[in-house]
Amino acid sequence: MRWIAILSVIYFISCKPTKEKLSALPILNGTGNHAIVSCEGIFPRGNAGISVIDQGTAQVWEDVFFQANNRRIGDVLQSITLRNGKAYCVVNNSSKIEVIDLNTWNTVQSVQKLGTPRYLHFTGNGQAWLTDIFSRQILILDEHTLAIIKRIPFPHWSEQMVQFGDSLYFNSPDVPYLFRASVSRQQIEDSMLLPGPSGALLKTGSTFWAAFENAANGNPGLLHFSGNRLLHTVTTNYSAGLSTRMASNVDEDTLYFLSQHLYRISATNPPLQAEPVKLGTEKNYYALGLDQKTKRIWLGDAIDFQQRGQIEVYENASLLPKNTFKVGLIPGHIYFY
């Protein structure tokens, strides 16, 4: 998969960490005025970071974790789950989760020896499930202590998750299957064959979408599901990008899909084939965010995977550029808080 290829390329690239020391850390109010950007950093340099952008003042804090804790967060910050005033930061190549207090940016808990984790999902029954790329397992954690409750053997790379009651669906970027697990029984129960491996999942109301890379031609596409029932298939005529991201608007009737290029489709009446609304030619678009307050589209450009990345902000309807921000190395995900 492309993720592995990226690691092998950037292994030999070095980059000096920024020495910028900001006078104060951002104060978040939970109203969505701030964008939190998880920056993977260069594998295996241990220079992952979190950039924060104040949309009102356009101020950028490039590495708030370092500023607050006087140490790097680790190697390859894969994802962040925001919950109850805390940021659960999954640091893939450091085999850990760092839990950060969003009021102070101080780490309040660091859980080690978690394999090669990817995404964390709280299931609402006292558990949190953690997917993994290389360890051939999915971990079930206690939602409060993050202690390991159970290890579920799984022979593939596991990635993102969406939940409907007791059913937890997750995808795999290296095999063409979508999997369903039972939260209460703590086991994987069945799977569905896809046209190709899936890189992203997104829940929209009572349904969900799975982005895939077509095994026949390498083009990205979308599958729309209600439970195990396939509702729609959307194809494209363009090559897949280095990462796959999805987002929806607040009404969940419009879907945004990033795979090298940016696509926008109706989620209620999807087309058979999607066309890009913004081409990513000569870009390395790696992150996608949709600000539900302003409706603006945020794209993260990893540039050459060796220098600071860039966030580009666009007006929704016209796609006219609104702003750009320099952030940390390899911006992977964008969250609004």
Side-chain angles (χ1 to χ4, degrees):
M1 293 298 294
R2 286 178 172 81
W3 192 87
I4 308 298
I6 293 169
L7 297 185
S8 64
V9 171
I10 64 181
Y11 180 90
F12 300 99
I13 302 171
S14 63
C15 182
K16 295 181 179 179
T18 178
K19 295 183 179 179
E20 181 181 7
K21 183 76 174 181
L22 298 177
S23 58
L25 291 167
I27 299 175
L28 306 187
N29 52 20
T31 60
N33 292 330
H34 291 83
I36 300 173
V37 183
S38 62
C39 300
E40 292 185 7
I42 299 174
F43 169 87
R45 302 296 180 182
N47 52 11
I50 301 173
S51 298
V52 177
I53 302 168
D54 186 320
Q55 297 193 66
T57 65
Q59 183 175 357
V60 181
W61 292 264
E62 187 173 329
D63 193 343
V64 293
F65 185 90
F66 180 81
Q67 302 293 332
N69 300 279
N70 199 33
R71 63 179 174 88
R72 295 289 188 187
I73 196 169
D75 192 27
V76 186
L77 175 54
Q78 176 57 42
S79 63
I80 297 177
T81 298
L82 302 176
R83 184 175 188 262
N84 296 335
K86 295 183 176 68
Y88 293 78
C89 304
V90 179
V91 191
N92 175 262
N93 202 47
S94 294
S95 304
K96 68 177 181 177
I97 296 175
E98 291 276 358
V99 185
I100 301 171
D101 185 334
L102 289 173
N103 290 316
T104 65
W105 296 103
N106 290 322
T107 184
V108 296
Q109 187 179 10
S110 183
V111 184
Q112 310 286 332
K113 299 180 180 179
L114 295 175
T116 47
R118 298 289 288 177
Y119 291 89
L120 181 70
H121 175 80
F122 290 89
T123 53
N125 63 338
Q127 303 173 10
W129 289 47
L130 184 65
T131 54
D132 194 286
I133 179 172
F134 292 131
S135 298
R136 301 302 185 239
Q137 64 182 355
I138 296 173
L139 297 181
I140 301 178
L141 311 178
D142 180 278
E143 71 168 24
H144 302 294
T145 66
L146 299 184
I148 297 174
I149 297 173
K150 184 175 181 178
R151 301 176 187 267
I152 302 177
F154 183 69
H156 308 292
W157 173 355
S158 55
E159 191 76 341
Q160 296 185 343
M161 295 162 280
V162 294
Q163 184 181 356
F164 298 89
D166 190 56
S167 293
L168 183 72
Y169 294 88
F170 65 93
N171 60 339
S172 174
D174 64 0
V175 291
Y177 288 92
L178 180 68
F179 300 88
R180 184 182 66 83
S182 167
V183 172
S184 62
R185 289 182 287 276
Q186 300 182 346
Q187 63 185 22
I188 301 168
E189 301 206 322
D190 57 26
S191 62
M192 293 174 283
L193 181 64
L194 307 180
S198 173
L201 298 180
L202 180 69
K203 184 177 180 178
T204 52
S206 60
T207 66
F208 69 98
W209 295 79
F212 69 93
E213 183 177 323
N214 196 313
N217 55 24
N219 296 345
L222 296 171
L223 301 170
H224 189 199
F225 289 96
S226 176
N228 288 18
R229 182 167 63 94
L230 178 63
L231 301 177
H232 301 99
T233 301
V234 180
T235 62
T236 71
N237 279 330
Y238 293 79
S239 297
L242 296 174
S243 74
T244 304
R245 304 286 188 254
M246 287 192 287
S248 67
N249 63 344
V250 67
D251 295 323
E252 297 183 331
D253 59 7
T254 304
L255 186 71
Y256 299 80
F257 168 48
L258 178 69
S259 182
Q260 183 176 353
H261 311 296
L262 177 66
Y263 303 82
R264 177 173 55 199
I265 66 169
S266 168
T268 56
N269 186 26
L272 294 176
Q273 183 171 296
E275 294 294 330
V277 295
K278 179 173 178 53
L279 293 174
T281 308
E282 299 181 357
K283 296 277 188 176
N284 277 318
Y285 284 139
Y286 207 68
L288 167 66
L290 182 66
D291 182 359
Q292 302 294 353
K293 291 184 65 176
T294 65
K295 300 182 180 180
R296 290 177 182 142
I297 301 166
W298 291 53
L299 297 175
D301 185 359
I303 305 181
D304 57 3
F305 296 92
Q306 61 178 302
Q307 60 181 292
R308 293 171 61 191
Q310 180 169 281
I311 299 296
E312 302 172 1
V313 184
Y314 295 90
E315 298 290 356
N316 192 300
S318 64
L319 286 173
L320 291 173
K322 176 66 178 179
N323 215 333
T324 59
F325 303 98
K326 279 291 185 181
V327 292
L329 295 161
I330 313 180
H333 288 283
I334 304 167
Y335 311 88
F336 298 95
Y337 186 84

